[in-house]
Protein backbone atom coordinates (compact mmCIF):
# COMPACT_ATOMS: atom_id res chain seq x y z
CA UNK A 1 0.00 0.00 0.00
CA UNK A 2 2.79 2.44 0.75
CA UNK A 3 4.42 4.33 -2.09
CA UNK A 4 7.24 6.87 -2.27
CA UNK A 5 5.22 9.50 -4.15
CA UNK A 6 3.78 11.99 -1.65
CA UNK A 7 0.07 12.55 -1.72
CA UNK A 8 -0.96 15.81 -3.34
CA UNK A 9 -4.01 17.90 -2.52
CA UNK A 10 -6.27 19.67 -4.99
CA UNK A 11 -9.37 21.80 -4.67
CA UNK A 12 -12.40 20.64 -6.64
CA UNK A 13 -15.75 22.34 -7.05
CA UNK A 14 -18.83 20.62 -8.40
CA UNK A 15 -20.56 23.69 -9.77
CA UNK A 16 -24.18 24.74 -9.05
CA UNK A 17 -25.84 23.13 -12.09
CA UNK A 18 -24.26 19.77 -11.13
CA UNK A 19 -25.44 19.93 -7.52
CA UNK A 20 -28.98 20.44 -8.82
CA UNK A 21 -28.80 17.13 -10.71
CA UNK A 22 -28.46 14.11 -8.37
CA UNK A 23 -27.74 11.61 -11.14
CA UNK A 24 -24.90 13.65 -12.59
CA UNK A 25 -23.63 14.36 -9.09
CA UNK A 26 -23.48 10.67 -8.29
CA UNK A 27 -21.69 9.88 -11.56
CA UNK A 28 -19.06 12.50 -10.80
CA UNK A 29 -18.52 11.13 -7.29
CA UNK A 30 -18.08 7.69 -8.84
CA UNK A 31 -15.50 9.08 -11.28
CA UNK A 32 -13.62 10.59 -8.34
CA UNK A 33 -13.47 7.36 -6.35
CA UNK A 34 -12.93 5.07 -9.35
CA UNK A 35 -9.86 7.11 -10.24
CA UNK A 36 -8.39 6.60 -6.78
CA UNK A 37 -8.86 10.14 -5.48
CA UNK A 38 -9.89 10.48 -1.85
CA UNK A 39 -12.25 13.11 -0.53
CA UNK A 40 -10.41 14.69 2.39
CA UNK A 41 -12.94 17.44 3.11
CA UNK A 42 -16.29 18.27 1.60
CA UNK A 43 -18.88 20.94 2.12
CA UNK A 44 -21.99 22.01 0.27
CA UNK A 45 -22.53 25.74 0.32
CA UNK A 46 -23.29 28.79 -1.74
CA UNK A 47 -20.04 30.47 -2.67
CA UNK A 48 -20.59 34.16 -1.94
CA UNK A 49 -19.89 36.81 -4.56
CA UNK A 50 -16.88 38.16 -2.57
CA UNK A 51 -15.49 34.62 -2.30
CA UNK A 52 -16.00 34.00 -6.03
CA UNK A 53 -14.32 37.35 -6.76
CA UNK A 54 -11.27 36.42 -4.69
CA UNK A 55 -11.22 32.86 -5.99
CA UNK A 56 -11.28 33.91 -9.66
CA UNK A 57 -9.19 37.09 -9.31
CA UNK A 58 -6.86 36.02 -12.14
CA UNK A 59 -9.85 36.34 -14.51
CA UNK A 60 -11.08 39.79 -13.41
CA UNK A 61 -10.23 41.36 -16.77
CA UNK A 62 -11.77 38.58 -18.89
CA UNK A 63 -14.99 39.06 -20.86
CA UNK A 64 -16.58 36.08 -19.09
CA UNK A 65 -15.76 37.25 -15.56
CA UNK A 66 -19.20 38.61 -14.61
CA UNK A 67 -21.14 35.65 -15.88
CA UNK A 68 -18.64 33.33 -14.15
CA UNK A 69 -18.85 34.83 -10.65
CA UNK A 70 -22.63 35.33 -10.96
CA UNK A 71 -23.08 31.68 -11.91
CA UNK A 72 -20.73 30.41 -9.22
CA UNK A 73 -22.70 32.23 -6.51
CA UNK A 74 -26.12 31.32 -7.96
CA UNK A 75 -26.67 28.22 -5.81
CA UNK A 76 -24.95 25.59 -3.69
CA UNK A 77 -21.74 23.97 -4.92
CA UNK A 78 -20.02 20.90 -3.54
CA UNK A 79 -16.51 21.97 -2.60
CA UNK A 80 -13.99 19.20 -2.07
CA UNK A 81 -10.40 18.75 -1.10
CA UNK A 82 -9.15 15.72 -3.00
CA UNK A 83 -5.98 13.78 -2.24
CA UNK A 84 -3.99 11.37 -4.34
CA UNK A 85 -0.76 10.87 -6.20
CA UNK A 86 -0.48 13.70 -8.74
CA UNK A 87 -3.96 14.77 -7.67
CA UNK A 88 -3.79 18.19 -9.38
CA UNK A 89 -3.05 16.78 -12.82
CA UNK A 90 -5.14 13.67 -12.35
CA UNK A 91 -8.28 15.65 -11.44
CA UNK A 92 -7.74 18.00 -14.39
CA UNK A 93 -7.47 14.98 -16.68
CA UNK A 94 -10.69 13.53 -15.28
CA UNK A 95 -12.40 16.92 -15.80
CA UNK A 96 -11.18 17.45 -19.35
CA UNK A 97 -10.67 20.68 -21.29
CA UNK A 98 -12.15 23.96 -20.01
CA UNK A 99 -14.30 24.54 -23.07
CA UNK A 100 -17.22 22.17 -23.28
CA UNK A 101 -17.42 22.07 -27.06
CA UNK A 102 -13.76 21.09 -27.21
CA UNK A 103 -14.26 18.59 -24.39
CA UNK A 104 -17.20 16.96 -26.17
CA UNK A 105 -15.15 16.69 -29.34
CA UNK A 106 -11.71 15.69 -28.08
CA UNK A 107 -12.39 14.16 -24.65
CA UNK A 108 -16.01 12.92 -24.60
CA UNK A 109 -15.49 10.60 -21.62
CA UNK A 110 -14.33 13.35 -19.28
CA UNK A 111 -16.61 15.12 -16.79
CA UNK A 112 -16.80 18.26 -18.89
CA UNK A 113 -17.27 16.21 -22.06
CA UNK A 114 -20.18 14.36 -20.50
CA UNK A 115 -21.80 16.89 -18.19
CA UNK A 116 -20.69 20.37 -19.25
CA UNK A 117 -23.44 22.63 -20.57
CA UNK A 118 -21.49 25.71 -21.68
CA UNK A 119 -18.08 27.33 -21.32
CA UNK A 120 -19.20 28.76 -17.98
CA UNK A 121 -21.35 25.87 -16.78
CA UNK A 122 -18.59 23.36 -17.41
CA UNK A 123 -19.46 21.18 -14.41
CA UNK A 124 -16.35 21.28 -12.28
CA UNK A 125 -13.37 23.29 -11.12
CA UNK A 126 -9.89 21.96 -10.45
CA UNK A 127 -6.78 23.75 -9.23
CA UNK A 128 -4.14 24.25 -11.91
CA UNK A 129 -1.11 23.77 -9.61
CA UNK A 130 -0.28 22.81 -6.04
CA UNK A 131 0.24 26.54 -5.28
CA UNK A 132 -3.24 27.37 -6.60
CA UNK A 133 -4.67 24.48 -4.60
CA UNK A 134 -3.17 25.94 -1.43
CA UNK A 135 -4.56 29.41 -2.15
CA UNK A 136 -8.00 28.08 -3.07
CA UNK A 137 -8.18 25.84 0.02
CA UNK A 138 -7.46 28.88 2.19
CA UNK A 139 -10.38 30.74 0.62
CA UNK A 140 -12.96 27.96 0.85
CA UNK A 141 -11.73 25.83 3.78
CA UNK A 142 -10.44 28.47 6.16
CA UNK A 143 -9.90 26.03 9.02
CA UNK A 144 -8.09 23.38 6.97
CA UNK A 145 -4.40 23.09 7.81
CA UNK A 146 -2.72 21.41 4.85
CA UNK A 147 0.64 21.25 6.62
CA UNK A 148 -0.89 19.37 9.51
CA UNK A 149 -2.75 17.15 7.08
CA UNK A 150 0.50 16.31 5.30
CA UNK A 151 2.12 15.31 8.57
CA UNK A 152 -0.52 12.61 8.90
CA UNK A 153 -0.26 11.67 5.20
CA UNK A 154 1.82 8.56 5.89
CA UNK A 155 -0.41 7.11 8.52
CA UNK A 156 -3.48 7.86 6.38
CA UNK A 157 -1.91 6.07 3.47
CA UNK A 158 -0.64 3.10 5.46
CA UNK A 159 -3.82 2.49 7.35
CA UNK A 160 -6.06 3.25 4.40
CA UNK A 161 -8.88 5.75 4.49
CA UNK A 162 -12.23 4.57 5.59
CA UNK A 163 -14.69 6.18 3.25
CA UNK A 164 -18.34 6.27 3.99
CA UNK A 165 -20.99 7.09 1.45
CA UNK A 166 -23.53 9.66 2.49
CA UNK A 167 -26.55 8.28 0.66
CA UNK A 168 -28.45 11.56 0.75
CA UNK A 169 -25.82 13.81 -0.76
CA UNK A 170 -23.92 11.02 -2.58
CA UNK A 171 -20.79 12.26 -0.88
CA UNK A 172 -17.92 9.98 -0.08
CA UNK A 173 -16.71 11.30 3.21
CA UNK A 174 -13.82 10.11 5.25
CA UNK A 175 -14.96 8.47 8.42
CA UNK A 176 -13.67 11.26 10.69
CA UNK A 177 -13.47 8.92 13.68
CA UNK A 178 -10.92 6.78 11.84
CA UNK A 179 -8.87 9.87 10.92
CA UNK A 180 -8.85 11.04 14.52
CA UNK A 181 -7.56 7.65 15.63
CA UNK A 182 -4.86 7.76 12.97
CA UNK A 183 -3.78 11.27 13.88
CA UNK A 184 -3.24 10.07 17.41
CA UNK A 185 -0.79 7.41 16.26
CA UNK A 186 2.71 8.73 16.91
O1 LIG B 1 -11.51 25.96 -14.96
P1 LIG B 1 -10.25 25.97 -15.79
O2 LIG B 1 -8.99 26.13 -14.97
O3 LIG B 1 -10.18 24.81 -16.73
O4 LIG B 1 -10.36 27.26 -16.77
P2 LIG B 1 -9.96 28.77 -16.54
O5 LIG B 1 -9.35 29.26 -17.83
O6 LIG B 1 -9.16 28.95 -15.29
O7 LIG B 1 -11.37 29.49 -16.38
C1 LIG B 1 -12.06 29.48 -15.16
C2 LIG B 1 -13.53 29.26 -15.43
O8 LIG B 1 -14.03 30.36 -16.19
C3 LIG B 1 -13.88 28.06 -16.30
O9 LIG B 1 -13.90 26.84 -15.61
C4 LIG B 1 -15.25 28.44 -16.82
O10 LIG B 1 -16.27 28.16 -15.87
C5 LIG B 1 -15.12 29.95 -16.97
N1 LIG B 1 -14.91 30.33 -18.39
C6 LIG B 1 -15.96 30.92 -19.09
O11 LIG B 1 -17.04 31.15 -18.53
N2 LIG B 1 -15.80 31.27 -20.41
C7 LIG B 1 -14.64 31.04 -21.04
N3 LIG B 1 -14.52 31.38 -22.32
C8 LIG B 1 -13.57 30.45 -20.35
C9 LIG B 1 -13.73 30.10 -19.02
MG1 LIG C 1 -8.26 27.72 -13.88
Amino acid sequence: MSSKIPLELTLAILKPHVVKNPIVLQKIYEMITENGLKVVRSQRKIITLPEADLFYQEHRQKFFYNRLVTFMSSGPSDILILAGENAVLKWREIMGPTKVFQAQYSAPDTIRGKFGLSDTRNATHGSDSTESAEREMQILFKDFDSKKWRETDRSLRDLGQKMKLDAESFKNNIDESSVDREQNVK
Side-chain angles (χ1 to χ4, degrees), residues 15 56 59 63-64 67-68 92 98 112 119-120 122:
K15 299 187 181 186
Y56 283 117
H59 296 304
F63 71 92
F64 58 80
R67 74 179 189 206
L68 172 62
R92 286 195 68 95
T98 305
R112 286 164 163 177
D119 285 348
T120 300
N122 58 354

Side-chain angles (χ1 to χ4, degrees), residues 40-41 144 148-149 152 155-156 159-162 164 174-186:
V40 172
R41 289 284 185 282
F144 181 73
K148 190 170 162 215
W149 188 86
T152 61
S155 55
L156 280 170
L159 293 172
Q161 290 181 4
K162 296 184 176 58
K164 62 177 183 189
I174 289 180
D175 180 350
E176 292 290 345
S177 58
S178 75
V179 175
D180 286 341
R181 271 203 304 283
E182 287 154 19
Q183 283 176 344
N184 289 334
V185 175
K186 287 273 173 330

